[in-house]
Amino acid sequence: MQITKDMIIADIIGVDPALAGVLMAGGMHCVGCPSAQGESLEEACYVHGMDADEMVKALNDYLEKNK
């Protein structure tokens, strides 16, 4: 599965719970907050001043390396 920036944060973590660590390492420390249940990765990145494309790459790189 590939992560996309339109995916909901909670769904991304559902793909692999270790992705929460990738998100937190990238500066997104709110993976457990209520907004994560309905906010897309792109929306969360916008709120946190992060580049959504870079985060998508980091998440997909992690998945590729840890198949």
Side-chain angles (χ1 to χ4, degrees), residues 12-32:
I12 292 170
I13 296 168
V15 170
D16 183 336
L19 292 175
V22 177
L23 290 165
M24 289 190 292
M28 193 172 299
H29 300 268
C30 65
V31 294

Side-chain angles (χ1 to χ4, degrees), residues 44-58:
C45 285
Y46 176 78
V47 168
H48 292 281
M50 301 166 69
D51 185 304
D53 293 320
E54 287 180 13
M55 184 58 71
V56 167
K57 181 178 180 339

